């Protein structure tokens, strides 16, 4: 080899010659482009803090390949950022700067003429596009670091979007999310009234759909449905006022959660109630439900006010909350579309309208309000109801010699039997709830009679109350990042869970058929409406109480056709599932540990209950309940059989519930499989020292009227 030949490792024209170095690990697309996923809780601290790019040497030192996630991740430098509600300055005080030192700068060698000069590091510019993703650019022209053909993100229109928080600085919450009003803001009377009506209308489906499902299952009449709906509105108003004043003090509406729907249907379809008929069936089952709800809610109240909830919080994290809440929505797949199929021309139109309003027209604003996104449920319901009314009045569902008000069992003509299903589910005049409802009716306690207490049903409700508490914990944390200065303390969470148990006892006394808990849809509503003031929710609760006293309001809501109810429930349960899975944004969603845990919990939450529900049922067996109620009669034929009938009922019923199986699997795996707090996304709650140091935190969660001064000795339920 001659002396003029280039040395190994160099290229012609390269200056200075590249030193020989060890082989670098294979780079990936993510490492070349600098892409970092927004949904990963590992990367949000650096992204949201707006830090500038690091020098080349620093980036090489802090970038390490993540073999588990399949890409190189950049560890953020120690900047003051909030990750899942915790700031770095809360972990440790910033050390004093080191003394100045004298350094000698050696200028780099100049490249020969004609060669391309190296590109200097430039600050990284970030912007948030229309999908809430952070785009990066390293140069003034948007290039990603070099003068060649850069990898560029598609240009998108910069606008404000409803993005749920991942990590943010506490003093930038309202500004970053463009909240119109914060937690303690008190707008004028007109804005309070308008936004309060908007807030409750956007959650109309969550408030009224549960009683429209359980009352017909109990054999109640249209008048009973109207009375239960009025009672639900009354209890929702009272419990919401109590929660915003003496609970978590967050703007969260309390109501009949879908968490209580599956156990209520299981109790309704118990074998001992199959011999009852008519109104006696409704009142007896309602009294049984009342007794079970009262016992289970009292257990939840003890769980909160005794401080035991603070210990349970150590086991409840996003990897547990996500599959548990998602399993609640997925569990009703057998009820949704099978009932919509009773009248496809009405049900499918209802589903398509709510999808179009919530997705395709969600960005259309009228007077700075996204009316189609906010009012997707009431708008689609009104349009479909009007169309069904026109079809009914024009005789589309009128058949000669057939009366839709005659029970199917009394119909003799085969011609009428053929069209009885279409007339029952497609016509809008089969319900007489509006005409028979009184103008004024005051819901009162024990209106259905004295509750009946059964230990086996009460035990089922006690387990369900734990699931409801897990659901509420996720809602507390997510909503606090939206509207409050910091997440609440463990004591505030325990206080809120205890009050939810107390308010559910009230729901049991009044006879709503379900317990009262924080509605998961609150988080989505706050993120969409940008309204975080508790005064708005309180005024809306007062209006809800007034409406509950007008019997015609309950009669009007009770007259919604059952097919439309099922269509809306398909959308609401899908939203419930998605909101549950959205809790994974606080953890490392790309971690194989979390992926496997969530996947196992979701799969077995569907497979194990299916085994219990199908056990002992032959394909040709004639059951006395409709097909969409068959998953809730497992207590009469489940695989768990012992000499104790009560124990058989409890085990077969609990293990046939999707949410219970998902919770058991997720809480065991998440707390036994090794993983860092950052990977698990452990909820970070504020502590008492932070509350003492920051007056804003105390003002957000302290009890009104100086009530907290009388309970200072109860450390586990205070700030």
């Amino acid at each position: 080899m001659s002396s003029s030949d280039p040395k190994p490792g160099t290229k012609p024209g390269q200056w200075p010659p590249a030193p020989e170095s060890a082989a670098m690990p294979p780079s990936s697309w993510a490492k070349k482009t600098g892409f970092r996923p927004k949904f990963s809780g590992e990367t949000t601290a650096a992204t949201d803090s707006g830090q500038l790019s690091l020098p080349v040497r620093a980036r090489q030192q802090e970038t390490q390949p993540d073999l588990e996630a399949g890409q190189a991740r950049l560890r953020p430098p120690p900047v003051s950022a909030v990750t899942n509600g915790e700031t770095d300055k809360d972990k440790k005080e910033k050390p004093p700067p080191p003394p100045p030192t004298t350094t000698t700068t050696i200028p780099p060698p100049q490249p020969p003429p004609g060669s391309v000069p190296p590109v200097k590091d430039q600050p990284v510019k970030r912007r948030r596009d229309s999908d809430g993703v952070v785009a990066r650019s390293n140069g003034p022209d948007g290039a990603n670091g070099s003068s060649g053909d850069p990898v560029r993100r598609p240009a998108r229109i910069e606008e404000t979007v409803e993005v749920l928080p991942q990590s943010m600085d506490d003093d930038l919450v309202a500004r970053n999310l463009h909240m119109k009003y914060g937690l303690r803001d008190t707008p004028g009377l007109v804005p309070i009234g308008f936004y309060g009506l908007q807030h409750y209308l956007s959650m109309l489906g969550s408030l009224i759909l549960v009683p429209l499902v359980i009352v017909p299952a109990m054999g109640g009449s249209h008048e009973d449905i109207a009375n239960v709906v009025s009672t639900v509105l009354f209890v929702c108003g009272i419990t919401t006022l109590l929660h915003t004043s003496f609970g978590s003090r967050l703007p969260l509406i309390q109501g009949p959660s879908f968490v209580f729907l599956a156990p209520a249907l299981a109790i309704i379809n118990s074998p001992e109630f199959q011999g009852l008929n008519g109104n006696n069936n409704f009142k007896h089952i309602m009294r049984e439900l009342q007794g079970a709800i009262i016992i289970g809610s009292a257990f939840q109240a003890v769980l909160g006010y005794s401080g035991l909830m603070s210990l349970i919080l150590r086991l409840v994290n996003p990897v547990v909350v996500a599959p548990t809440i998602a399993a609640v929505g997925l569990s009703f797949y057998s009820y949704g579309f099978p009932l919509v199929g009773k009248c496809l021309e009405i049900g499918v139109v209802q589903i398509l309208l709510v999808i179009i309003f919530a997705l395709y027209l969600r960005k259309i604003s009228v007077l700075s309000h996204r009316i189609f996104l906010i009012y997707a449920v009431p708008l689609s319901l009104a349009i479909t109801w009007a169309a069904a009314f026109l079809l009914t009045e024009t005789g589309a569902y009128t058949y000669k010699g057939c009366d839709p008000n005659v029970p199917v069992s009394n119909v003799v003509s085969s011609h009428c039997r053929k069209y009885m299903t279409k007339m029952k589910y497609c016509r809008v005049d089969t319900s007489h709830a509006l005409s028979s409802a009184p103008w004024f009716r005051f819901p009162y306690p024990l209106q259905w009679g004295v509750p009946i207490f059964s230990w086996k049903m009460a035990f089922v409700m006690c387990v369900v109350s734990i699931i409801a508490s897990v659901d509420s914990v996720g809602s507390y944390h997510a909503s606090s990042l939206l509207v409050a200065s910091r997440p609440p303390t463990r004591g505030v969470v325990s206080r809120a869970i205890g009050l939810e148990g107390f308010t559910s006892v009230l729901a049991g006394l009044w006879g709503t058929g379900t317990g009262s808990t924080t509605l998961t849809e609150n988080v989505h509503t706050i993120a969409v409406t940008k309204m975080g003031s508790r005064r708005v929710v309180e005024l809306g609760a007062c209006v809800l109480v007034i409406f509950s006293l007008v019997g015609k309001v309950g009669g009007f809501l009770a007259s919604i056709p059952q097919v439309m109810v099922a269509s809306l429930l398909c959308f609401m349960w899908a939203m419930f599932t998605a909101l549950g899975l959205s809790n994974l944004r606080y953890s490392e969603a790309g971690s194989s540990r979390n992926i496997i845990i969530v996947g196992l919990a979701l799969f077995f939450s569907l497979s194990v209950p299916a085994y219990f529900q199908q056990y002992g049922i032959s394909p040709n067996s004639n059951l006395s309940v409709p097909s969409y109620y068959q998953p809730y009669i497992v207590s009469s034929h489940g695989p768990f059989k012992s000499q104790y009938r009560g124990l058989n009922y409890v085990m077969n019923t609990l293990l046939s519930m999707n949410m219970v199986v998902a919770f058991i699997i997720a809480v065991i795996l998440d707390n036994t499989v090794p993983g860092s707090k950052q990977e698990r996304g452990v909820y970070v709650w504020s502590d008492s020292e932070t509350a003492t140091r920051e007056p804003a935190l105390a003002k957000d969660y302290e009890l009104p009227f100086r009530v907290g001064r009388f309970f200072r000795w109860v450390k586990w339920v205070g700030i």
Side-chain angles (χ1 to χ4, degrees):
M1 179 182 297
S2 62
S3 59
S4 60
D5 294 336
K7 296 181 180 180
T10 64
K11 297 180 181 179
Q14 179 179 355
W15 184 264
E20 298 181 3
S21 58
M24 297 295 292
S27 59
S28 62
W29 172 87
K31 184 174 181 181
K32 293 178 181 178
T33 59
F35 172 79
R36 297 161 68 197
K38 183 63 179 174
F39 54 80
S40 175
E42 180 185 9
T43 61
T44 49
T47 303
D48 293 341
S49 60
Q51 65 182 15
L52 301 180
S53 65
L54 299 174
V56 176
R57 183 171 300 176
R59 287 203 303 269
Q60 293 177 353
Q61 291 176 355
E62 299 199 17
T63 302
Q64 296 180 358
D66 189 345
L67 300 180
E68 182 178 2
Q71 66 181 15
R73 298 180 182 270
L74 183 63
R75 295 183 180 177
V79 298
S80 179
V82 180
T83 303
N84 202 4
E86 182 182 23
T87 59
D88 293 340
K89 63 183 180 181
D90 294 336
K91 300 177 182 178
K92 58 181 180 180
E93 297 294 333
K94 185 176 181 180
T101 58
T102 303
T103 58
T104 302
T105 303
I106 301 177
Q110 298 296 329
S115 62
V116 180
V119 180
K120 297 181 179 180
D121 288 316
Q122 297 179 359
V124 175
K125 297 181 180 179
R126 291 180 172 87
R127 62 175 177 81
R128 188 176 299 277
D129 56 27
S130 59
D131 292 333
V133 181
V134 176
R136 304 179 59 187
S137 60
N138 284 11
D141 57 349
N144 194 9
S146 67
S147 59
D149 187 12
V151 178
R152 309 184 70 170
R153 301 290 297 276
R156 290 173 179 158
I157 302 174
E158 298 184 11
E159 59 180 13
T160 303
V161 293
E162 58 280 1
V163 181
L164 296 179
Q166 296 183 21
S167 58
M168 59 195 67
D169 203 338
D170 53 353
D171 59 348
L172 297 177
V173 173
R175 185 173 63 185
N176 287 349
L177 292 176
H178 302 277
M179 298 296 293
K180 296 176 181 178
Y181 295 99
L183 179 62
R184 289 178 279 117
D185 292 341
T186 305
L189 183 60
V190 174
I192 286 181
F194 174 77
Y195 288 116
L197 180 64
Q198 168 185 276
H199 204 84
Y200 281 85
L201 280 178
S202 64
M203 301 186 64
L204 181 64
S206 303
L207 295 174
I208 67 172
L209 292 181
V210 172
L212 297 182
V213 173
I214 63 173
V215 177
M218 289 187 284
S221 62
H222 298 294
E223 292 78 10
D224 295 329
I225 298 176
N227 294 337
V228 173
V229 169
S230 298
T231 305
V232 167
L233 296 179
F234 180 81
V235 173
C236 286
I238 298 298
T239 55
T240 301
L241 288 174
L242 290 174
H243 190 82
T244 55
S245 300
F246 305 103
S248 68
R249 306 221 66 198
L250 293 168
L252 301 175
I253 299 176
Q254 309 294 297
S257 174
F258 293 123
V259 175
F260 289 95
L261 183 56
L265 291 175
I267 293 175
I268 290 170
N269 291 280
S270 297
E272 54 262 37
F273 301 145
Q274 300 301 321
L276 301 177
N277 295 315
N279 195 38
N280 292 331
N281 189 18
F282 165 73
K283 288 189 175 181
H284 183 79
I285 296 177
M286 178 61 80
R287 292 164 60 194
E288 292 275 2
L289 275 176
Q290 287 181 264
I293 291 171
I294 290 174
I295 297 299
S297 303
F299 171 76
Q300 185 181 13
V302 172
L303 201 66
Y305 286 127
S306 65
L308 294 176
M309 195 62 204
S310 299
L311 302 178
I312 298 179
L313 286 178
R314 304 179 185 275
L315 306 177
V316 178
N317 296 305
V319 182
V320 176
V321 175
T324 303
I325 305 307
V328 175
L330 294 175
S331 62
F332 298 106
Y333 68 93
S334 62
Y335 183 93
F337 204 83
L339 194 55
V340 173
K342 301 290 185 181
C343 186
L344 285 174
E345 59 267 32
I346 299 298
V348 172
V349 170
Q350 172 80 71
I351 294 175
L352 290 178
L353 280 177
V354 71
I355 291 175
I356 290 172
F357 291 154
L359 294 178
Y360 293 98
L361 304 180
R362 72 185 190 277
K363 294 185 179 181
I364 297 179
S365 299
V366 177
L367 299 178
S368 301
H369 294 279
R370 297 186 177 184
I371 57 174
F372 292 105
L373 179 60
I374 297 174
Y375 305 115
V377 171
L379 278 178
S380 60
L381 176 61
I383 295 174
T384 310
W385 204 350
F389 177 79
L390 292 177
L391 291 175
T392 303
E393 292 298 319
T394 55
Y397 305 115
T398 301
Y399 302 95
K400 185 178 180 180
C402 302
D403 186 0
N405 296 318
V406 177
V408 180
S409 59
N410 298 336
V411 177
V412 179
S413 173
S414 59
H415 170 72
C416 292
R417 281 181 175 271
K418 180 180 179 181
Y419 298 105
M420 283 304 296
T421 300
K422 187 171 287 294
M423 288 192 298
K424 178 181 179 181
Y425 290 99
C426 295
R427 296 180 65 94
V428 297
D429 58 353
T430 57
S431 174
H432 304 284
L434 181 60
S435 59
S436 61
W439 279 101
F440 176 81
R441 182 183 183 275
F442 183 79
Y444 55 91
L446 306 180
Q447 55 187 328
W448 315 117
V450 180
I452 300 176
F453 299 96
S454 173
W455 75 267
K456 59 181 182 181
M457 299 179 184
F459 188 85
V460 170
M461 279 298 177
C462 288
V463 177
V464 172
S465 67
I466 298 178
I467 307 296
S469 301
V470 172
D471 181 17
S472 299
V473 166
S475 300
Y476 295 161
H477 189 272
S479 59
S480 65
L481 294 182
L482 284 167
V483 301
S485 60
R486 284 180 179 272
T489 62
R490 296 180 183 270
V492 172
V493 175
S494 297
R495 183 183 72 194
I497 295 299
L499 187 67
E500 281 194 11
F502 173 74
T503 55
S504 292
V505 171
L506 298 181
L509 292 174
W510 259 262
T512 61
T514 62
S516 179
T517 184
T518 300
L519 299 178
T520 308
E521 297 83 353
N522 276 290
V523 180
H524 172 72
T525 302
I526 294 174
V528 170
T529 61
K530 310 300 180 185
M531 174 52 58
S533 174
R534 66 165 69 104
R535 302 303 177 194
V536 172
V537 176
E538 290 172 349
L539 180 62
C542 296
V543 175
L544 212 62
V545 172
I546 296 175
F547 281 165
S548 68
L549 304 179
V550 182
K552 292 295 183 182
V553 174
F556 174 76
L557 296 175
S559 61
I560 300 177
Q562 199 170 6
V563 171
M564 297 184 190
V565 173
S567 302
L568 292 178
L569 284 173
C570 289
F571 177 78
M572 298 301 299
W573 286 330
M575 279 287 300
F576 201 90
T577 302
L579 288 173
L581 293 177
S582 67
N583 285 276
L584 291 175
R585 67 187 181 271
Y586 301 114
S587 65
E588 291 186 10
S591 168
S592 62
R593 172 193 183 274
N594 298 341
I595 290 175
I596 294 174
I597 292 176
V598 174
L600 288 174
L602 285 178
F603 176 79
F604 284 109
S605 70
L606 298 176
S607 185
V608 173
Y611 166 73
F612 276 79
Q613 295 163 7
Q614 298 171 9
Y615 185 87
I617 298 180
S618 61
N620 298 325
S621 60
N622 294 323
L623 299 176
S624 59
V625 297
S627 60
Y628 44 83
Y629 287 146
Q630 291 180 9
Y632 308 105
I633 61 173
V634 67
S635 59
S636 61
H637 60 80
F640 193 92
K641 296 179 181 180
S642 67
Q643 58 181 350
Y644 303 102
R645 292 185 177 181
L647 182 61
N648 297 342
Y649 179 91
V650 170
M651 296 303 298
N652 288 325
T653 302
L654 288 178
L655 294 179
S656 67
M657 295 183 186
N658 307 72
M659 57 183 179
V660 174
V661 177
F663 174 74
I664 293 174
I665 294 177
V667 75
I668 292 177
L669 293 180
D670 184 54
N671 290 278
T672 56
V673 177
S676 64
K677 292 184 177 180
Q678 184 178 3
E679 183 181 15
R680 298 171 61 194
V682 175
Y683 285 136
V684 178
W685 307 99
S686 302
D687 51 19
S688 56
E689 297 179 358
T690 306
T692 305
R693 185 172 64 252
E694 299 185 9
L697 177 63
K699 292 180 180 179
D700 285 343
Y701 301 107
E702 65 182 358
L703 296 176
F705 313 118
R706 299 182 179 181
V707 177
R709 295 186 176 183
F710 297 97
F711 298 97
R712 286 183 176 178
W713 58 277
V714 191
K715 299 295 184 181
W716 54 86
V717 292
I719 298 179

